[in-house]
Amino acid sequence: MRNYQIEDLPDYFKQYKKSIKNPKKFWDNIADKNFVWYQRWSKVVDYDMTEAKITWFKNAKLNIVKNCIDRHLAERGEKTAIIWEPNDPKEEALYISYNDLYKRVNKTANILRDLGIKKGDRVCIYLPMIPELAITMLACAKLGAIHSVIFAGFSASAVASRVNDCGAKMIITSDGSYRGSKVLDLKSIVDEALEKTESIENVLVVKRTHNEIKMKEGRDHRMADLYEKASEDFVTVIMDAEDPLFILYTSGSTGKPKGMLHTCGGYMVYTGYTFKNIFNYKENDIYWCTADIGWITGHSYILYGPLCNGATTVIFEGVPTYPQPDRFWEVIEKHKVTQFYTAPTAIRSLAKESTEWVDKHDLSSLKVIGSVGEPINDEAWHWFNDHVGKKKCPVVDTWWQTETGGIMISPIPFVTPTKPTYATLPLPGIQPVLMDDKRNEISGNQVTGNLCIRFPWPGIARTIWGDHQRYKETYFSAFPGKYFTGDGALRDEVGYYRITGRVDDVIIVSGHNLGTAPIEDSINQHPAVAESAIVGYPHDIKGNALYGYVMLKEIGEGRDRDNLKKEINQLISDQIGPIAKLDKIQFVSGLPKTRSGKIMRRILRKIAEGDFSNFGDISTLLNPEIVDEIKNERLG
Ligand code: PRX
C-alpha cells in the first residue's frame, strides 16, 4: 500500500481536474499554443457518442507537415530531424536535417503529383524502415493524399486486401529490405498482390538492396529516376482539420481488418501534446522509438509526434539481436539516445541474454524509458528499470491503441510515481471509466472492469474507412455513450490503472494485434479442414502464442499430421503473414459449442494453457463430452 493519494500529486491533480472540468478550454489552449494553423476553429469539439460522430477543431485549416517541418526551418533548419540507423552497423548512419527533409519531402510530393496523385487519393506504402518511408508519408500529407502504410512483413494477400479496401491509386515499395540476416523481396510481393487488385495505376519503387526486380512498363517507376528531375519547391495543400490524414489497418475480433481513419487536426494536436509530455521532451534530446512505422506507434511516435515538436527522431532499420543481442544498447550509446521507447516482447527477449550485453555499453544518456503494445509483466518491468534505466529513468508504461491515435494512460515522468505493471494515470484530458458486464459504471478503487472512455479526445479515430456502421457497433454500442476499448483493467487503491488484457477475441502476439477470425478463415480454406478455433496462451517472450484447434474433414483423417501442420501454417503465412503462424496445432474431432453455435473459447484457452482445474459451467454446451476428449488428447 502506498502512502499517498492522487490528490497528493499536486502538479498532476490540478491539471487533471482542470482538464475534466472544462475540456473544451483545455484542448483549445493546447491547440492554440503549440501548433500553427492557417485558420482557427469555429468550435473546439462537437460529438455524439451514440452515433459515433466526432469533430475536433471545426473549420480549422492546417497542414501537419507545415507543423512537422516547415515551421522549424527558421530556428532549426540545420538541426537533425531524422537519424537513420541501418540494419548493418557497418553501413553508415544517415543524418537528415530539417532543411534536407523539407527538400526531400517537396521533391517526393512533386513526384506523386506528377503521377496523378491529388488531395483525397489513397496511397499505400509498403516499405522497410528506410528514410523514404517517413518521407513518402510526409509527402502524401503535404499534398493532401491519404497514406495507408502496410507493415512490410505482411503477405501479398494482406497487401491486396488493404489496397482493395481503401481503393489506393498508387503503391510505394522498394526492391527489397534488409532485416537481420534476411533479405526480402518486397517488389515481387507487390507484383503478386497487384494481380488481385484493380485500383493501382502506378507503382513507385525505391532502391534499397541489390535485388534484381521486374519492372512493368508504364506502371512501375524507379524513384531514383524521377527524384533527380523533381523540383524542390512545392506549395503545401491546405487541409481542413477533419480531412483524412491516414488509414491504418488493425485486426478486429471478427471480419476483415479495420481501416482506422485518422484526421489532420485532432491527430496532430494529440500526438504533439502526448509526445512532449510523456517523453519529457527537451530541445537537444535524441529520441528513439524502436517500433516499425507500419504500426500506429511508429506513425505517432517515430514520425508525427516527434517532428511536430522539432525533435531528432531515430529510425532503425534492423532488429534487436542483429548482429548481436546488444544492438539496441550499441545504438543508444552511439547516438546518445535520451528517450528510448520499446515493447515488452523486445524487452523479454533481450532480458533472456546475459546482462553483460547491456552492461558493456554506456547508457548514461538515457532520461526516460518507455514500453508499449501489451501488458508488461513484473519481471520484464524490473529488468528494464534496473538494467536499462539503471533505476534512474522513469519507466513510462504507455497504454493506448491504433484507434486512440496517441497515448492515453501513462505515468508522466518526474510527476507520476511509477508502479511496476501499471500504466498508472490518465493523461489530463482523458476520462477512463470501468464498466461491469451489466453496463453499470464501477466507482471507487480496487475494482476491475471493462475499460471505456467517457469523453472524446482529439486523437480518436473518426471512423472505419468505408464502414461507419462497423465503427459504431465495435466501439460505441457495448456501453452506449462511451468508447469501449476492448481491454479489461484494474484500478488500484490509489486510482492507478493496470491493463489486464483484451476481453475480446483479439490476441496480442509479440505486440502485434491478431484477430482470431481472419486466421481461422485462412485455416478453413485448407481442403482437409472442416473447422478451427484459435486461442492465445502465455509465452515467455512473445507474451502470447497462438494455439489452434483444428477439426479435419474425412478426407483429412488419413493424412500425415506433421505435413498438415506445415501446410496450415504456410496457408496462414501466405494469407496474413508469418507473424500469424500457429505455435501449436491440436487436431480435434469437434469443438465445444453452445446451443447457439458459438465456440466456447474460454475452455479452449484453459486447455491450451494446460490449466485443467475448473472449466466452470459447461452446461450450455451442445457437446460437453468433447471437453474431456480435447483435454485428454492435449495431455496424451
Ligand atoms: O490490449 C491493449 C494493448 O494493445 C492494444 C492495442 O493494440 P494496437 O492497436 O496494435 O496498438 C498498439 C500500440 C499502441 C490495446 O487494446 N496495449 C497497448 N499498450 C499497452 C497494452 N496493454 C497493456 N499495457 C500497455 N501499455
Side-chain angles (χ1 to χ4, degrees):
M1 195 80 162
R2 279 189 312 289
N3 54 3
Y4 62 84
Q5 294 294 313
I6 294 186
E7 286 82 343
D8 300 333
L9 307 175
D11 291 345
Y12 170 81
F13 192 61
K14 222 169 82 198
Q15 272 285 335
Y16 187 73
K17 247 179 46 183
K18 236 168 60 186
S19 76
I20 298 306
K21 206 163 150 219
N22 193 342
K24 291 178 190 162
K25 194 167 159 206
F26 177 79
W27 291 114
D28 185 285
N29 190 35
I30 288 173
D32 189 44
K33 290 226 170 82
N34 299 287
F35 304 92
V36 292
W37 305 83
Y38 295 110
Q39 180 180 300
R40 261 186 73 95
W41 43 97
S42 55
K43 200 168 181 191
V44 180
V45 59
D46 234 350
Y47 64 97
D48 176 344
M49 298 278 270
T50 312
E51 283 307 309
K53 294 214 165 98
I54 297 159
T55 308
W56 280 92
F57 311 113
K58 197 169 187 170
N59 297 322
K61 305 282 181 231
L62 76 149
N63 190 295
I64 194 167
V65 179
K66 188 174 164 79
N67 282 272
C68 284
I69 305 176
D70 306 28
R71 70 154 152 165
H72 303 308
L73 299 182
E75 268 179 50
R76 321 183 169 91
E78 284 310 307
K79 176 177 174 175
T80 302
I82 293 174
I83 298 177
W84 178 67
E85 174 67 29
N87 179 59
D88 185 343
K90 287 197 228 81
E91 192 178 340
E92 285 202 5
L94 208 64
Y95 299 83
I96 303 175
S97 68
Y98 274 94
N99 281 333
D100 193 12
L101 186 61
Y102 170 79
K103 287 181 201 151
R104 290 182 189 222
V105 169
N106 282 357
K107 275 175 161 277
T108 309
N110 279 316
I111 293 171
L112 299 187
R113 199 175 46 195
D114 291 348
L115 288 171
I117 298 299
K118 54 186 189 318
K119 183 176 174 184
D121 287 343
R122 275 79 63 208
V123 174
C124 283
I125 305 178
Y126 185 65
L127 283 175
M129 288 282 283
I130 54 178
E132 286 80 359
L133 173 50
I135 291 164
T136 50
M137 289 165 78
L138 293 163
C140 286
K142 193 152 190 173
L143 73 69
I146 306 168
H147 60 70
S148 186
V149 179
I150 304 172
F151 171 60
F154 276 127
S155 68
S157 295
V159 173
S161 73
R162 284 158 176 77
V163 165
N164 286 334
D165 187 77
C166 71
K169 271 172 80 174
M170 174 188 275
I171 184 161
I172 304 172
T173 188
S174 68
D175 58 352
S177 77
Y178 296 125
R179 264 179 82 73
S181 51
K182 289 189 210 140
V183 188
L184 300 175
D185 177 358
L186 298 186
K187 174 65 167 58
S188 58
I189 296 176
V190 166
D191 288 340
E192 191 187 331
L194 295 193
E195 283 168 20
K196 295 176 223 148
T197 63
E198 282 174 5
S199 58
I200 297 288
E201 294 168 4
N202 291 292
V203 179
L204 203 50
V205 186
V206 177
K207 179 164 173 59
R208 171 61 186 128
T209 65
H210 300 288
N211 287 342
E212 287 290 327
I213 53 165
K214 285 197 213 105
M215 297 290 283
K216 188 169 168 185
E217 183 83 36
R219 185 196 71 177
D220 301 352
H221 314 269
R222 288 186 196 268
M223 178 76 108
D225 297 344
L226 305 173
Y227 197 81
E228 285 306 306
K229 294 172 236 149
S231 158
E232 281 179 7
D233 298 316
F234 185 87
V235 180
T236 307
V237 173
I238 297 177
M239 305 295 282
D240 189 273
E242 284 298 330
D243 279 337
L245 174 63
F246 67 84
I247 299 167
L248 186 60
Y249 287 86
T250 185
S251 300
S253 50
T254 56
K256 56 180 189 176
K258 300 170 286 191
M260 304 312 307
L261 182 89
H262 283 282
T263 56
C264 297
Y267 178 81
M268 171 181 79
V269 169
Y270 200 65
T271 51
Y273 158 72
T274 48
F275 173 77
K276 189 169 164 183
N277 289 289
I278 303 293
F279 297 105
N280 190 39
Y281 172 69
K282 300 280 182 304
E283 181 64 36
N284 293 317
D285 287 347
I286 307 286
Y287 164 88
W288 181 23
C289 164
T290 68
D292 193 289
I293 294 184
W295 310 113
I296 192 70
T297 309
H299 280 55
S300 302
Y301 299 110
I302 293 179
L303 197 63
Y304 290 115
L307 295 185
C308 256
N309 284 281
T312 299
T313 182
V314 177
I315 297 182
F316 174 50
E317 186 185 34
V319 296
T321 47
Y322 180 83
Q324 299 195 108
D326 62 343
R327 189 68 195 280
F328 274 3
W329 326 128
E330 184 189 276
V331 173
I332 292 174
E333 181 174 14
K334 174 176 173 188
H335 297 298
K336 301 202 169 36
V337 170
T338 44
Q339 289 93 346
F340 177 63
Y341 191 30
T342 191
T345 183
I347 298 169
R348 284 191 296 262
S349 78
L350 296 170
K352 142 177 126 353
E353 306 288 342
S354 155
T355 50
E356 279 169 27
W357 289 112
V358 199
D359 294 342
K360 74 178 200 194
H361 293 282
D362 176 7
L363 306 185
S364 61
S365 55
L366 287 175
K367 295 195 305 185
V368 175
I369 56 176
S371 160
V372 61
E374 59 185 306
I376 178 164
N377 51 307
D378 201 57
E379 220 183 325
W381 194 98
H382 282 289
W383 189 87
F384 197 36
N385 183 48
D386 296 356
H387 296 285
V388 181
K390 315 286 182 202
K391 296 188 180 163
K392 70 174 179 57
C393 304
V395 177
V396 290
D397 175 1
T398 62
W399 173 83
W400 59 295
Q401 310 177 296
T402 305
E403 295 85 339
T404 68
I407 297 165
M408 303 283 281
I409 303 182
S410 165
I412 298 174
F414 313 110
V415 173
T416 324
T418 56
K419 178 179 178 183
T421 77
Y422 280 73
T424 75
L425 296 170
L427 293 200
I430 301 303
Q431 304 187 34
V433 276
L434 295 182
M435 305 294 290
D436 69 19
D437 290 337
K438 298 202 177 74
R439 297 178 164 180
N440 299 312
E441 193 171 325
I442 309 170
S443 57
N445 289 344
Q446 288 188 292
V447 290
T448 56
N450 298 295
L451 180 64
C452 292
I453 314 288
R454 198 201 315 268
F455 192 86
W457 62 100
I460 186 174
R462 302 298 194 265
T463 191
I464 292 174
W465 179 260
D467 198 349
H468 193 71
Q469 187 60 23
R470 185 175 178 201
Y471 174 70
K472 190 172 135 181
E473 278 163 17
T474 311
Y475 303 106
F476 297 90
S477 68
F479 301 94
K482 298 187 175 62
Y483 167 82
F484 176 43
T485 64
D487 281 326
L490 173 160
R491 194 163 51 218
D492 79 355
E493 70 283 353
V494 171
Y496 272 21
Y497 288 87
R498 174 189 190 166
I499 312 304
T500 48
R502 302 290 309 181
V503 294
D504 56 12
D505 291 330
V506 170
I507 305 170
I508 303 186
V509 178
S510 299
H512 303 316
N513 256 8
L514 297 171
T516 51
I519 305 178
E520 288 162 5
D521 289 347
S522 320
I523 300 173
N524 299 350
Q525 283 171 26
H526 191 288
V529 171
E531 211 183 347
S532 60
I534 306 298
V535 295
Y537 68 99
H539 185 280
D540 282 354
I541 308 280
K542 301 199 243 185
N544 292 297
L546 297 177
Y547 196 110
Y549 296 91
V550 177
M551 199 177 125
L552 295 175
K553 289 180 188 159
E554 228 174 282
I555 51 156
E557 288 301 340
R559 303 254 325 254
D560 180 272
R561 298 284 163 114
D562 287 337
N563 272 344
L564 273 177
K565 286 183 183 174
K566 277 191 203 130
E567 287 169 19
I568 287 170
N569 265 334
Q570 190 56 47
L571 205 58
I572 297 172
S573 208
D574 292 345
Q575 303 222 338
I576 300 170
I579 47 174
K581 283 206 283 199
L582 307 184
D583 293 81
K584 285 189 186 151
I585 298 178
Q586 180 177 343
F587 293 104
V588 293
S589 65
L591 293 165
K593 285 195 179 168
T594 63
R595 280 163 213 285
S596 58
K598 204 167 181 300
I599 297 170
M600 213 182 249
R601 286 170 196 275
R602 70 177 166 79
I603 292 177
L604 296 177
R605 236 174 260 135
K606 289 196 86 162
I607 297 177
E609 284 167 20
D611 170 7
F612 310 121
S613 54
N614 177 14
F615 290 123
D617 180 15
I618 56 169
S619 62
T620 56
L621 284 183
L622 200 60
N623 52 348
E625 69 289 346
I626 199 74
V627 176
D628 266 347
E629 193 183 311
I630 297 178
K631 185 182 95 179
N632 291 337
E633 273 171 14
R634 164 95 163 89
L635 285 168

